[in-house]
Short mmCIF file of all heavy atoms in Angstrom, two decimals:
data_model
loop_
_atom_site.label_atom_id
_atom_site.label_comp_id
_atom_site.label_asym_id
_atom_site.label_seq_id
_atom_site.Cartn_x
_atom_site.Cartn_y
_atom_site.Cartn_z
N ASN E 198 0.76 -1.19 -0.02
CA ASN E 198 0.03 0.08 0.02
C ASN E 198 0.83 1.31 0.00
O ASN E 198 2.03 1.28 0.40
CB ASN E 198 -1.02 0.05 1.17
CG ASN E 198 -0.41 -0.11 2.63
OD1 ASN E 198 0.40 0.71 2.93
ND2 ASN E 198 -0.71 -1.19 3.27
N CYS E 199 0.15 2.29 -0.50
CA CYS E 199 0.75 3.67 -0.45
C CYS E 199 0.07 4.57 0.45
O CYS E 199 -0.15 5.77 0.11
CB CYS E 199 0.77 4.22 -1.93
SG CYS E 199 1.70 3.24 -3.14
N VAL E 200 -0.52 4.12 1.57
CA VAL E 200 -1.15 4.97 2.54
C VAL E 200 -0.03 5.92 3.12
O VAL E 200 0.99 5.65 3.07
CB VAL E 200 -1.88 4.25 3.56
CG1 VAL E 200 -3.05 3.47 2.98
CG2 VAL E 200 -0.94 3.23 4.41
N SER E 201 -0.56 6.97 3.88
CA SER E 201 0.37 7.97 4.33
C SER E 201 1.47 7.21 5.10
O SER E 201 1.32 6.35 5.89
CB SER E 201 -0.41 8.83 5.29
OG SER E 201 -1.23 9.70 4.60
N ALA E 202 2.72 7.65 4.77
CA ALA E 202 3.88 7.03 5.26
C ALA E 202 3.98 6.85 6.76
O ALA E 202 4.52 5.91 7.27
CB ALA E 202 5.13 7.80 4.72
N CYS E 203 3.37 7.85 7.45
CA CYS E 203 3.60 7.91 8.95
C CYS E 203 2.98 6.70 9.56
O CYS E 203 3.43 6.20 10.59
CB CYS E 203 3.02 9.22 9.50
SG CYS E 203 1.23 9.34 9.11
N ASP E 204 1.86 6.23 8.99
CA ASP E 204 1.10 5.14 9.80
C ASP E 204 0.78 3.90 8.83
O ASP E 204 0.00 3.06 9.33
CB ASP E 204 -0.23 5.74 10.34
CG ASP E 204 -1.14 6.31 9.25
OD1 ASP E 204 -0.95 6.14 8.16
OD2 ASP E 204 -2.12 6.92 9.70
N LYS E 205 1.56 3.74 7.82
CA LYS E 205 1.40 2.50 7.03
C LYS E 205 2.34 1.48 7.74
O LYS E 205 3.32 1.89 8.44
CB LYS E 205 1.78 2.64 5.60
CG LYS E 205 3.32 2.87 5.28
CD LYS E 205 3.63 2.77 3.90
CE LYS E 205 3.74 1.39 3.31
NZ LYS E 205 4.08 1.26 1.92
N ASN E 206 1.98 0.18 7.62
CA ASN E 206 2.86 -0.85 8.15
C ASN E 206 3.73 -1.41 7.02
O ASN E 206 3.16 -2.17 6.27
CB ASN E 206 1.94 -1.95 8.83
CG ASN E 206 1.34 -1.49 10.08
OD1 ASN E 206 1.82 -0.63 10.83
ND2 ASN E 206 0.12 -1.92 10.29
N PRO E 207 4.92 -0.96 6.87
CA PRO E 207 5.78 -1.63 5.87
C PRO E 207 5.91 -3.13 6.15
O PRO E 207 5.64 -3.58 7.31
CB PRO E 207 7.09 -0.95 5.92
CG PRO E 207 6.83 0.35 6.66
CD PRO E 207 5.69 0.08 7.57
N SER E 208 6.29 -3.92 5.14
CA SER E 208 6.45 -5.33 5.41
C SER E 208 7.42 -5.64 6.58
O SER E 208 7.22 -6.66 7.29
CB SER E 208 7.03 -5.99 4.08
OG SER E 208 6.09 -5.81 3.00
N TYR E 209 8.42 -4.92 6.75
CA TYR E 209 9.36 -5.02 7.90
C TYR E 209 8.57 -4.96 9.25
O TYR E 209 8.95 -5.77 10.09
CB TYR E 209 10.40 -3.91 7.84
CG TYR E 209 11.49 -3.97 8.78
CD1 TYR E 209 12.85 -4.24 8.40
CD2 TYR E 209 11.36 -3.74 10.14
CE1 TYR E 209 13.85 -4.28 9.33
CE2 TYR E 209 12.38 -3.72 11.10
CZ TYR E 209 13.62 -4.07 10.64
OH TYR E 209 14.70 -4.13 11.53
N VAL E 210 7.62 -4.01 9.37
CA VAL E 210 6.92 -3.88 10.56
C VAL E 210 5.98 -5.13 10.85
O VAL E 210 5.89 -5.58 11.96
CB VAL E 210 6.03 -2.61 10.54
CG1 VAL E 210 5.13 -2.58 11.78
CG2 VAL E 210 6.92 -1.40 10.50
N HIS E 211 5.36 -5.64 9.82
CA HIS E 211 4.51 -6.91 9.98
C HIS E 211 5.48 -8.02 10.48
O HIS E 211 5.09 -8.65 11.33
CB HIS E 211 3.96 -7.31 8.65
CG HIS E 211 2.78 -6.45 8.14
ND1 HIS E 211 1.56 -6.23 8.88
CD2 HIS E 211 2.65 -5.66 7.01
CE1 HIS E 211 0.85 -5.41 8.25
NE2 HIS E 211 1.51 -5.01 7.13
N MET E 212 6.67 -8.14 9.80
CA MET E 212 7.65 -9.20 10.22
C MET E 212 8.11 -9.05 11.70
O MET E 212 8.58 -10.02 12.23
CB MET E 212 8.72 -9.28 9.27
CG MET E 212 8.21 -9.45 7.76
SD MET E 212 9.51 -9.30 6.54
CE MET E 212 10.27 -10.81 6.70
N ASN E 213 8.13 -7.80 12.21
CA ASN E 213 8.61 -7.52 13.54
C ASN E 213 7.41 -7.03 14.35
O ASN E 213 7.68 -6.17 15.24
CB ASN E 213 9.75 -6.45 13.52
CG ASN E 213 11.01 -7.06 12.91
OD1 ASN E 213 11.78 -7.70 13.62
ND2 ASN E 213 11.20 -6.84 11.61
N GLN E 214 6.23 -7.43 14.22
CA GLN E 214 4.98 -6.91 14.67
C GLN E 214 5.17 -6.66 16.27
O GLN E 214 5.14 -7.62 17.02
CB GLN E 214 3.79 -7.80 14.40
CG GLN E 214 2.62 -7.22 13.85
CD GLN E 214 1.81 -6.40 14.90
OE1 GLN E 214 2.16 -6.45 16.08
NE2 GLN E 214 0.83 -5.76 14.45
N PRO E 215 5.20 -5.39 16.64
CA PRO E 215 5.50 -5.12 18.01
C PRO E 215 4.38 -5.49 19.02
O PRO E 215 4.72 -5.81 20.19
CB PRO E 215 5.75 -3.59 18.04
CG PRO E 215 5.16 -3.12 16.84
CD PRO E 215 5.14 -4.18 15.78
N VAL E 216 3.11 -5.36 18.56
CA VAL E 216 2.04 -5.77 19.49
C VAL E 216 2.05 -7.24 19.71
O VAL E 216 1.97 -7.72 20.99
CB VAL E 216 0.64 -5.34 18.83
CG1 VAL E 216 -0.50 -5.83 19.72
CG2 VAL E 216 0.53 -3.86 18.57
N ILE E 217 2.22 -8.01 18.76
CA ILE E 217 2.35 -9.43 18.89
C ILE E 217 3.60 -9.80 19.78
O ILE E 217 3.57 -10.62 20.71
CB ILE E 217 2.53 -10.21 17.54
CG1 ILE E 217 1.15 -10.05 16.81
CG2 ILE E 217 2.86 -11.67 17.71
CD1 ILE E 217 1.26 -10.61 15.33
N THR E 218 4.73 -9.09 19.50
CA THR E 218 5.93 -9.41 20.36
C THR E 218 5.78 -9.10 21.76
O THR E 218 6.14 -9.87 22.67
CB THR E 218 7.09 -8.58 19.75
OG1 THR E 218 7.38 -8.89 18.35
CG2 THR E 218 8.41 -8.86 20.54
N ASP E 219 5.15 -7.92 22.08
CA ASP E 219 4.75 -7.55 23.46
C ASP E 219 3.89 -8.49 24.08
O ASP E 219 4.01 -8.86 25.30
CB ASP E 219 4.35 -6.11 23.52
CG ASP E 219 5.51 -5.07 23.32
OD1 ASP E 219 6.67 -5.61 23.19
OD2 ASP E 219 5.17 -3.86 23.41
N LEU E 220 2.84 -8.95 23.30
CA LEU E 220 1.92 -9.88 23.90
C LEU E 220 2.57 -11.18 24.26
O LEU E 220 2.20 -11.73 25.35
CB LEU E 220 0.72 -10.14 22.90
CG LEU E 220 -0.30 -8.95 22.80
CD1 LEU E 220 -1.30 -9.22 21.58
CD2 LEU E 220 -1.11 -8.77 24.10
N TYR E 221 3.48 -11.66 23.50
CA TYR E 221 4.12 -12.82 23.80
C TYR E 221 5.06 -12.63 25.11
O TYR E 221 5.22 -13.57 25.90
CB TYR E 221 5.15 -13.31 22.64
CG TYR E 221 4.44 -14.26 21.70
CD1 TYR E 221 4.42 -13.97 20.28
CD2 TYR E 221 3.85 -15.46 22.11
CE1 TYR E 221 3.87 -14.88 19.42
CE2 TYR E 221 3.34 -16.35 21.30
CZ TYR E 221 3.32 -16.07 19.87
OH TYR E 221 2.85 -16.97 19.01
N GLU E 222 5.60 -11.45 25.23
CA GLU E 222 6.53 -11.24 26.37
C GLU E 222 5.70 -11.34 27.70
O GLU E 222 6.26 -11.72 28.71
CB GLU E 222 7.10 -9.80 26.22
CG GLU E 222 8.16 -9.62 25.25
CD GLU E 222 9.46 -10.44 25.44
OE1 GLU E 222 9.76 -10.54 26.70
OE2 GLU E 222 10.02 -11.02 24.53
N ARG E 223 4.44 -10.96 27.69
CA ARG E 223 3.59 -10.96 28.89
C ARG E 223 2.69 -12.19 28.91
O ARG E 223 1.95 -12.39 29.92
CB ARG E 223 2.75 -9.65 28.94
CG ARG E 223 3.57 -8.35 29.03
CD ARG E 223 2.72 -7.20 28.94
NE ARG E 223 1.81 -7.08 30.09
CZ ARG E 223 0.89 -6.09 30.18
NH1 ARG E 223 0.85 -5.18 29.27
NH2 ARG E 223 0.08 -6.10 31.33
N HIS E 224 2.78 -13.04 27.95
CA HIS E 224 2.00 -14.24 27.90
C HIS E 224 2.39 -15.17 29.02
O HIS E 224 3.63 -15.39 29.17
CB HIS E 224 2.19 -14.96 26.58
CG HIS E 224 1.58 -16.35 26.42
ND1 HIS E 224 0.20 -16.52 26.50
CD2 HIS E 224 2.19 -17.51 26.09
CE1 HIS E 224 -0.02 -17.85 26.38
NE2 HIS E 224 1.08 -18.53 26.18
N GLY E 225 1.45 -15.73 29.73
CA GLY E 225 1.83 -16.63 30.81
C GLY E 225 2.13 -15.93 32.11
O GLY E 225 2.32 -16.50 33.18
N LYS E 226 2.27 -14.52 32.06
CA LYS E 226 2.59 -13.77 33.25
C LYS E 226 1.32 -12.96 33.61
O LYS E 226 0.85 -13.05 34.75
CB LYS E 226 3.80 -12.86 32.98
CG LYS E 226 5.08 -13.59 32.56
CD LYS E 226 6.11 -12.67 32.06
CE LYS E 226 7.29 -13.36 31.51
NZ LYS E 226 8.30 -12.39 30.93
N ASP E 227 0.90 -12.05 32.68
CA ASP E 227 -0.21 -11.21 32.97
C ASP E 227 -1.53 -11.72 32.27
O ASP E 227 -2.67 -11.29 32.74
CB ASP E 227 0.13 -9.78 32.46
CG ASP E 227 1.38 -9.21 33.04
OD1 ASP E 227 1.38 -9.28 34.35
OD2 ASP E 227 2.25 -8.77 32.32
N PHE E 228 -1.39 -12.49 31.19
CA PHE E 228 -2.60 -12.93 30.53
C PHE E 228 -2.23 -14.11 29.67
O PHE E 228 -1.05 -14.49 29.54
CB PHE E 228 -3.19 -11.80 29.75
CG PHE E 228 -2.25 -10.96 28.94
CD1 PHE E 228 -1.54 -11.56 27.82
CD2 PHE E 228 -1.96 -9.69 29.28
CE1 PHE E 228 -0.55 -10.84 27.16
CE2 PHE E 228 -1.01 -8.94 28.50
CZ PHE E 228 -0.40 -9.53 27.47
N ASN E 229 -3.24 -14.73 29.11
CA ASN E 229 -3.08 -15.85 28.21
C ASN E 229 -3.35 -15.36 26.85
O ASN E 229 -4.48 -15.13 26.41
CB ASN E 229 -4.19 -16.96 28.63
CG ASN E 229 -3.82 -18.21 27.90
OD1 ASN E 229 -3.13 -18.37 26.90
ND2 ASN E 229 -4.52 -19.33 28.38
N PHE E 230 -2.41 -15.23 25.96
CA PHE E 230 -2.50 -14.67 24.65
C PHE E 230 -2.91 -15.80 23.69
O PHE E 230 -2.19 -16.78 23.44
CB PHE E 230 -1.06 -14.11 24.21
CG PHE E 230 -1.08 -13.61 22.76
CD1 PHE E 230 -2.20 -13.08 22.17
CD2 PHE E 230 0.08 -13.71 22.09
CE1 PHE E 230 -2.12 -12.54 20.89
CE2 PHE E 230 0.17 -13.20 20.71
CZ PHE E 230 -0.92 -12.65 20.21
N LEU E 231 -4.12 -15.79 23.27
CA LEU E 231 -4.67 -16.77 22.45
C LEU E 231 -4.34 -16.79 20.94
O LEU E 231 -4.27 -17.83 20.27
CB LEU E 231 -6.28 -16.75 22.52
CG LEU E 231 -6.85 -16.91 23.84
CD1 LEU E 231 -8.41 -16.94 23.82
CD2 LEU E 231 -6.36 -18.22 24.59
N GLY E 232 -4.06 -15.61 20.40
CA GLY E 232 -3.71 -15.47 18.98
C GLY E 232 -4.35 -14.24 18.36
O GLY E 232 -4.74 -13.33 19.08
N CYS E 233 -4.29 -14.25 17.07
CA CYS E 233 -4.67 -12.97 16.26
C CYS E 233 -5.94 -13.25 15.34
O CYS E 233 -6.08 -14.35 14.76
CB CYS E 233 -3.52 -12.59 15.28
SG CYS E 233 -2.03 -12.18 16.13
N ILE E 234 -6.70 -12.28 15.30
CA ILE E 234 -7.83 -12.20 14.26
C ILE E 234 -7.40 -11.15 13.28
O ILE E 234 -7.28 -9.98 13.67
CB ILE E 234 -9.12 -11.98 14.86
CG1 ILE E 234 -9.61 -13.16 15.75
CG2 ILE E 234 -10.19 -11.70 13.83
CD1 ILE E 234 -10.80 -12.88 16.61
N ILE E 235 -7.18 -11.44 12.08
CA ILE E 235 -6.88 -10.44 10.96
C ILE E 235 -8.34 -10.09 10.36
O ILE E 235 -9.15 -10.95 10.07
CB ILE E 235 -5.89 -10.97 9.94
CG1 ILE E 235 -6.38 -12.27 9.34
CG2 ILE E 235 -4.48 -11.05 10.55
CD1 ILE E 235 -5.36 -12.66 8.16
N THR E 236 -8.41 -8.75 10.15
CA THR E 236 -9.67 -8.30 9.51
C THR E 236 -9.20 -7.17 8.57
O THR E 236 -8.05 -6.63 8.65
CB THR E 236 -10.71 -7.73 10.52
OG1 THR E 236 -11.80 -7.42 9.81
CG2 THR E 236 -10.15 -6.70 11.37
#
């Protein structure tokens, strides 16, 4: 996509998805991370 550069997710960001990464870091400690729903 060519959406505004400030808030597009380049492929690099998807591959390093920070929300997923952070959820894994707290998984089993603060909550049970079940997975993702893409929409």
Side-chain angles (χ1 to χ4, degrees):
N198 59 60
C199 298
V200 296
S201 291
C203 62
D204 57 12
K205 74 172 282 181
N206 293 325
S208 299
Y209 187 108
V210 172
H211 290 298
M212 300 168 81
N213 290 274
Q214 228 287 351
V216 177
I217 293 175
T218 302
D219 281 1
L220 285 169
Y221 268 127
E222 288 294 323
R223 296 175 63 183
H224 173 62
K226 303 172 186 174
D227 301 308
F228 44 70
N229 190 347
F230 177 33
L231 301 184
C233 302
I234 293 169
I235 54 172
T236 185

